[in-house]
Every structure is written in structure tokens, then in C-alpha cells.
Amino acid sequence: MSVALAVDVGGTKLAAGLVDGAGTVLAADRVPTPRSPDAEVIWTALADLVRRVHAKAAAAPVGIGVGCGGPMVWPAGRVSPLNIGGWRDFPLRDRLRDLARELGAGNGSEDDVRIHNDAVCVAVAEHWRGAGRGRANVLGMVVSTGVGGGLVLGGRLVDGARGNAGHIGHVCVDPRGPECACGARGCLEAVASGPRTAAWARDEGWANPAGDDAATLTADARAGHPVALAALRRAGEALGVAIASAAHLCDLDVVAVGGGLAQAGDLLFGPLHAAYEAQARMDFVRATRIVPAALGQEAGLVGAAALVLGSGAYWSPGSSART
């Protein structure tokens, strides 16, 4: 069975793994992302990690799949992750191509390295081997520090003109709502991300000496704190409204919702489903299932590997030509 080298680049950690065609992570390792302004320091940490994981491969990987935070120039793979200040227009795909040749991964072609946004890779993973497996039309979402997503329609990943299709975090859920980091008002991300949900709760009087993040907020909501409960209800309702809009537009089979805030379970999904049902008035939209994502912490690596191993469903034939 073919094996891919998978890479997941985030602001907190760098991860790499060997993933087979069944979506099984055969080996993996991770290191903290260096807090350095020097692009080469970060690259060296990543390259060393990939070499260590590659050394565990029983046979040559057929390529390298990469998920990385954005923004990025896609599919060229020049990345400027918001949470990695040392990389601005960093040629990640080109550098990994050079590393692939050094390691003997792939066949020496441009497509030996395939890269996409990290949230898109999570969505791909859920379609390939997770909660959306076997369904043709799937929206995968990550609700965490931000809100991102990816869209599979007709069994194929939809890239869009610049690789950003499925970016549901910037669907407007309240035109008079809070300002988003993008400059617009009322984006889903500005209402329902973990940090924004916790910030709203703090503004409403919630406080806990143990912490002020979304995980602490969720724990307090489970204990019955009224403001914490209201904060998760507000986030869930916004998610339900945004998902209803996406389902009307795309006629979806499944929406898989993952990420840190999704760990709140029914405290988030209860109001989400209620808001969705209130908005989903067309019969075809009522057939859409909204479920928790299934793959957890491995989703990023599994989705990155799917870019290489997914029988062409997740990488367009013309992608390399557009670099």
C-alpha cells in the first residue's frame, strides 16, 4: 500500500507523519513551532522533523502532502501564516520539493509536494476517512482560534479561484455584529471562534481565576454558569445560521464540525441544531446531517496525506500549472 509523508504546519506545533492509503497514521512526530523571526530557523526545525519521520518509512513515500495556516498563495505554496511571524511569502512548497528530492520521496515531478490550507486538509480528511466518508457533498469545519473550512462537492475538493473555497468563517451572520479581523462586520469567525466566544463572555461578566480561554469557559458552562452557557449558545446559533446558508447554497449531505470549541459537545451543538432547523426551511436542506468531526488530532495529517493518496479527488490536475 502506498504511503505519503504528511506535514501539518501550525503556530503552536509542527507535525509530520507517514500515512497509508487507508488513512492510518503509521508513524508521527511533532515539535513546537520555533518562536523566531528568522525564517530559516523555522524551516530547519521542520526539515529536521520531516527527515526523522521519513527515516521510519519501510518504503519510499509517493509524495509529501502539506497543510499550513494561511494566508498563502495557492497552489504555489508561498505561505504567510498569521501565527508564524517569521514566515512571510515563504516558498514552502518549493523548499519541500527540494527536500523530497533529497529524500527520494515521489518521482521527481512538480506534484511530489501538494499543499493546501490547514482547515481544507481537515475537511478533506473528514470526507476521505472521517464523518463524511461515503458521501459526495461535504462541508468540513474547524471552530477553534479561527473558523475555517473546506468544501467537497460531487466527490471532489472545490478549490475556488485562489484555493479559498469553503472559507465559511467569513460568511456574515450579523451585519451589525462585531468587527472581524478581516475588517468586515459580523463574520462567523468574529462571533463563534473560541477566543471571540470567551471575549464576549468576559464582557458579560464571566471570570474564572483558572483561566479566561474557551476551554475554561466550556468547563464553567458544564458546571451551569449562566454567562458561559449563554456564550456557547450564542456561538452555536451563529454556526447554525452560517451552516444553513452553506447548505442552501451547496445542497450538502454532511457538515462535519471539529476544532477546540466543538469539544463543548451538546452545549454548542444543541443551539447549533436549533438555529439550523429554524433557518433550514427547504425540504432538501433538512436532509443535511450536521455531526461532530470524527478524526480528532490526526485530521490534519490524514488530510494532508489525502492530497497525495486520494485518487485525484483532492488535487486538481491543473494545480501545478497554475504555480
Side-chain angles (χ1 to χ4, degrees):
M1 183 178 289
S2 296
V3 173
L5 255 172
V7 176
D8 187 12
V9 177
T12 303
K13 57 98 172 90
L14 308 173
L18 297 167
V19 182
D20 68 16
T24 302
V25 180
L26 305 174
D29 197 0
R30 64 186 61 201
V31 296
T33 304
R35 297 294 182 185
S36 173
D38 188 334
E40 292 304 316
V41 169
I42 304 166
W43 165 250
T44 297
L46 179 62
D48 289 347
L49 173 67
V50 171
R51 290 188 183 99
R52 285 199 305 275
V53 171
H54 177 268
K56 301 175 184 179
V62 296
I64 301 177
V66 189
C68 181
M72 74 170 66
V73 178
W74 183 89
R78 296 194 302 276
V79 303
S80 306
L82 294 177
N83 50 10
I84 303 179
W87 276 1
R88 289 295 173 266
D89 205 32
F90 184 78
L92 180 59
R93 190 180 181 202
D94 287 345
R95 298 293 289 270
L96 283 169
R97 277 195 192 119
D98 293 341
L99 185 58
R101 295 186 185 101
E102 172 194 320
L103 298 175
N107 59 15
S109 75
E110 284 190 329
D111 270 352
D112 285 346
V113 177
R114 301 178 179 187
I115 188 168
H116 230 307
N117 182 276
D118 52 359
V120 170
C121 286
V122 170
V124 162
E126 291 295 332
H127 177 260
W128 190 44
R129 300 301 182 203
R133 186 173 185 177
R135 307 308 295 268
N137 305 288
V138 177
L139 171 66
M141 296 178 61
V142 179
V143 186
S144 187
T145 304
V147 179
L151 189 61
V152 176
L153 296 179
R156 295 189 63 87
L157 177 67
V158 178
D159 298 312
R162 287 163 288 278
N164 292 296
H167 203 337
I168 194 169
H170 294 280
V171 167
C172 181
V173 294
D174 181 0
R176 291 173 292 280
E179 186 173 355
C180 183
C182 74
R185 285 201 168 273
C187 293
L188 178 62
E189 183 169 292
V191 176
S193 70
R196 288 299 190 101
T197 300
W200 182 88
R202 291 194 299 271
D203 289 344
E204 295 296 314
W206 170 72
N208 186 327
D212 62 356
D213 59 5
T216 307
L217 180 75
T218 297
D220 280 358
R222 290 195 178 106
H225 193 292
V227 175
L229 285 167
L232 290 177
R233 182 170 59 250
R234 176 177 177 267
E237 289 171 351
L239 287 162
V241 169
I243 292 170
S245 295
H248 280 98
L249 183 65
C250 299
D251 195 2
L252 299 167
D253 294 311
V254 174
V255 179
V257 183
L261 197 64
Q263 304 311 305
D266 286 345
L267 296 175
L268 184 76
F269 280 89
L272 187 163
H273 283 291
Y276 181 85
E277 289 168 9
Q279 292 292 118
R281 311 311 298 178
M282 303 292 288
D283 287 344
F284 75 91
V285 190
R286 291 182 176 275
T288 302
R289 293 190 304 115
I290 305 169
V291 298
L295 296 179
Q297 295 298 314
E298 292 188 335
L301 290 176
V302 173
L307 299 178
V308 176
L309 299 174
S311 302
Y314 310 118
W315 188 257
S316 302
S319 291
S320 290
R322 286 187 275 167
T323 61

